[in-house]
Amino acid sequence: MMKQTKFVATDLDGTFLNDQKRFNRDLFAQVLKAYEATGGEFIVASGRDLKHVQMLFGGFLDRVNIVADNGATILSADGQIQERHMMTQEQLSSLQHEIDRMSVKPHGGILVFSPDELLVVRDYGAIPSGFLTMMASLYGQPRFVDSLMQVDVAVMKVTVFWTLAESETFVTQVRENQTDVHATTPGNGVVDVMAPGVNKAASLQQLLETLGGTPSELAVFGDGMNDLEMLAIAGQPIIMPNADKRLFAYDYAIAVADNNHDGVLQTWQELI
């Protein structure tokens, strides 16, 4: 039996966003207003970078708390950066070594996210031009480097594009080698790498402390394996009907509809 909570947090891709990477803004405005009237607070918890999340929620930013970069960035709805968990040069070098250990190279590029700049590591596959154009609208033209060891700015997250099977192999390799980073994948071939200990759950707990709440007062919506940690801490964990099949083994509640039919908003509405 699902119950109302003081906080609602949702993943974006495959969860809150439909397959066209949009959401029902009219319904969101309606549900958010009703939820705020009960004293509730809304949180986005996404692997996407902060600038990308802010672009998606334009017009609502003063009402949305954000955990971005798979936990590396925390922004409260009052516009204050609560935390940025940065990677060290040593961690970036260790990550480069782990990438080089793989028998195949990433096929779709390596992106390096700093607060105000996007870097691309050369010779690791072709990044779709449309995606680069969109990112350039947020960060300006990306800067190219030959290796992660050449990165000379503060970094929250490195995103590596593999095939699905390669991504799982890489995450396992990083864990088994006890590399001093945290690598996670939602199960679609994309791997996000952050500083050790950084994930959505840890940053949600940090944000909740700032907002005066606890995980027991939190409902979480997710669909991927990179959502597992935050689902595990939530008082009300909810997965999407279209979620990674491995999540169904945890016997979490299931949203009333999938991501293409406003599943988060419809379920959230029932919780109010």
Side-chain angles (χ1 to χ4, degrees):
M1 182 75 173
M2 289 187 281
K3 60 186 185 298
Q4 182 176 348
T5 57
K6 185 177 178 181
F7 304 93
V8 166
T10 182
D11 172 54
L12 291 182
D13 294 280
T15 303
F16 192 78
L17 300 179
N18 61 29
D19 290 348
Q20 286 70 50
K21 307 304 179 185
R22 300 187 182 96
F23 64 94
N24 185 332
R25 295 178 69 87
D26 291 338
L27 182 57
F28 174 61
Q30 175 187 332
V31 175
L32 181 61
K33 182 178 180 180
Y35 187 60
E36 289 173 335
T38 71
E41 295 225 34
F42 177 66
I43 306 168
V44 170
S46 176
R48 290 184 181 230
D49 59 287
L50 177 61
K51 288 181 182 290
H52 206 162
V53 176
Q54 289 174 314
M55 177 189 73
L56 287 168
F57 285 89
F60 296 101
L61 289 177
D62 60 344
R63 302 161 69 187
V64 176
N65 301 282
I66 300 173
V67 171
D69 298 303
N70 261 316
T73 305
I74 306 172
L75 178 75
S76 51
D78 61 7
Q80 298 298 308
I81 293 284
Q82 299 297 326
E83 187 70 77
R84 274 192 166 126
H85 297 283
M86 300 300 191
M87 300 179 71
T88 66
Q89 290 294 327
E90 291 78 9
Q91 289 160 356
L92 290 171
S93 294
S94 295
L95 175 57
Q96 182 67 60
H97 289 312
E98 289 297 339
I99 293 170
D100 292 342
R101 281 191 179 122
M102 289 284 287
S103 60
V104 291
K105 283 187 174 184
H107 76 283
I110 299 176
L111 302 180
V112 182
F113 291 88
S114 73
D116 298 305
E117 187 178 18
L118 176 67
L119 290 80
V120 177
V121 184
R122 290 188 182 92
D123 299 327
Y124 284 98
I127 300 171
S129 59
F131 178 77
L132 278 181
T133 299
M134 184 273 292
M135 296 305 286
S137 71
L138 301 175
Y139 288 91
Q141 289 300 317
R143 179 159 59 98
F144 287 81
V145 294
D146 293 325
S147 164
L148 290 173
M149 288 179 275
Q150 291 185 350
V151 173
D152 57 358
V153 292
V155 172
M156 294 92 62
K157 178 186 72 169
V158 177
T159 299
V160 189
F161 296 88
W162 304 92
T163 66
L164 178 58
E166 290 161 0
S167 69
E168 300 286 354
T169 299
F170 182 71
V171 170
T172 300
Q173 173 184 296
V174 168
R175 182 175 64 249
E176 290 180 349
N177 288 340
Q178 299 183 335
T179 308
D180 191 31
V181 296
H182 176 62
T184 186
T185 177
N188 61 358
V190 177
V191 175
D192 282 337
V193 186
M194 293 76 60
V198 175
N199 58 57
K200 293 180 182 181
S203 292
L204 274 174
Q205 288 178 298
Q206 188 174 345
L207 176 62
L208 287 171
E209 288 178 12
T210 301
L211 299 177
T214 65
S216 65
E217 301 173 288
L218 174 68
V220 164
F221 291 87
D223 77 299
M225 294 307 290
N226 64 329
D227 300 322
L228 184 56
E229 291 129 333
M230 70 173 180
L231 287 163
I233 67 165
Q236 180 68 79
I238 305 164
I239 62 174
M240 306 304 290
N242 54 284
D244 188 305
K245 290 180 173 55
R246 290 171 288 184
L247 288 178
F248 290 90
Y250 294 87
D251 199 30
Y252 293 139
I254 301 173
V256 300
D258 65 22
N259 66 307
N260 286 317
H261 297 88
D262 304 325
V264 170
L265 292 172
Q266 287 192 51
T267 308
W268 182 12
Q269 201 166 31
E270 292 187 3
L271 296 177
I272 300 172

